[in-house]
Amino acid sequence: MDSFSTLIRTASHEQHVEAETSTFMSDLLGGRLGVAAYARYTEQLWFVYEALEAAAGRLASDPVAGPFIRPELMRLSSLERDLAHLRGPGWRTGLAALPATEEYAARVRECAERWPAGYVAHHYTRYLGDLSGGQIIRDKAERTWGFAKKGDGVRFYVFESIPNPAAFKREYRELLDGIRADDLEKLRVVAECKRAFALNTAVFRALGEEFPLSA
Ligand code: HEM
């Protein structure tokens, strides 16, 4: 068997392309959407990271998920600053999850509660993605909507405590390779990763329906 980090990357490759080239993402990266669409997307991320990070404290001592829980990854407070910038101080009042987002967050919570290795699949899918393609999104968002470079509005994409993302990702892949799971469990984690991608794509689809291109 390939190393687990290779396996999970290769197995999710096709879905990665699908997520990356989804109508919503293409329109966002193509600079064709207004800031309202970006704000709505950021709002959806809040629900996902709330689910991921509410469980982090408890999972930190878990033998399987524990090694992945790193304070420098935590995104919720950055998301909250972005939302305060995008929506104003009352951002919390209007916060609303799309049904697809609710489904995604519920699955994260379920894994966090019952299946730490499944939680790792969700952790990988989001955080390694944010450290990678997230940087492309940040750059585009800064240019399209005029946010200050690495400032309010795009703090979600700025990992202040990870000065060298490439090195961090290498270490992360080593953690994946050392995951305390047998081969069958690893395959289940890969399947959960695919599910995580599908849950992301469903959110993009819903966002695409909410923000069809008028032009
Ligand atoms: C337009 C959107 C996206 C772009 C441009 C993008 C781009 C990239 C790039 C360039 C990498 C390679 C980084 C490297 O080799 O170090 C990467 C990796 C990754 N992306 Fe994305 N991505 C996007 C969306 C997503 C989404 C929606 C997800 C899932 C929620 C995701 C999850 C991942 C993961 C997990 C990796 C790490 C793969 C690995 O090395 O194991 N990406 N992305």
Side-chain angles (χ1 to χ4, degrees):
M1 215 191 229
D2 277 332
S3 70
F4 184 53
S5 60
T6 303
L7 182 68
I8 197 164
R9 184 178 64 228
T10 327
S12 57
H13 176 74
E14 207 172 304
Q15 277 170 302
H16 185 274
V17 173
E18 197 184 334
E20 216 177 326
T21 55
S22 65
T23 305
F24 182 75
M25 257 304 141
S26 305
D27 288 344
L28 199 77
L29 292 180
R32 293 185 289 275
L33 290 171
V35 72
Y38 177 75
R40 187 81 164 117
Y41 171 48
T42 306
E43 184 183 62
Q44 303 313 299
L45 290 174
W46 186 89
F47 290 94
V48 175
Y49 285 82
E50 200 281 326
L52 280 166
E53 295 176 10
R58 190 170 41 79
L59 285 171
S61 57
D62 180 85
V64 178
F68 295 89
I69 308 290
R70 305 275 289 267
E72 59 269 49
L73 288 173
M74 299 295 125
R75 296 290 85 207
L76 202 58
S77 61
S78 302
L79 274 172
E80 295 185 351
R81 284 182 71 177
D82 289 341
L83 285 168
H85 181 74
L86 293 162
R87 289 268 162 87
W91 65 270
R92 224 177 251 274
T93 322
L95 203 65
L98 290 159
T101 306
E102 250 165 42
E103 197 186 321
Y104 184 3
R107 181 59 187 161
V108 172
R109 274 192 293 274
E110 191 172 41
C111 288
E113 278 161 29
R114 297 198 211 137
W115 183 32
Y119 174 86
V120 172
H122 288 279
H123 192 279
Y124 161 79
T125 304
R126 283 302 338 175
Y127 294 108
L128 226 58
D130 300 333
L131 280 165
S132 313
Q135 301 317 303
I136 299 165
I137 301 175
R138 174 177 62 76
D139 182 64
K140 195 68 210 182
E142 288 165 357
R143 290 163 195 263
T144 309
W145 300 295
F147 303 122
K149 214 165 159 38
K150 300 192 175 182
D152 286 340
V154 291
R155 291 193 189 276
F156 168 73
Y157 301 97
V158 184
F159 290 82
E160 303 270 5
S161 309
I162 304 182
N164 185 344
F168 189 95
K169 284 194 284 187
R170 268 198 303 278
E171 277 175 43
Y172 192 100
R173 290 191 187 106
E174 281 168 20
L175 285 180
L176 284 172
D177 292 339
I179 192 171
R180 288 175 61 169
D182 62 21
D183 285 355
L184 182 59
E185 181 73 339
K186 283 179 185 166
L187 292 178
R188 289 196 194 104
V189 174
V190 167
E192 187 64 29
C193 173
K194 291 187 182 183
R195 186 166 174 181
F197 268 95
L199 288 163
N200 275 282
T201 306
V203 173
F204 290 154
R205 199 175 307 120
L207 285 166
E209 283 163 16
E210 194 169 315
F211 295 95
L213 275 189
S214 44

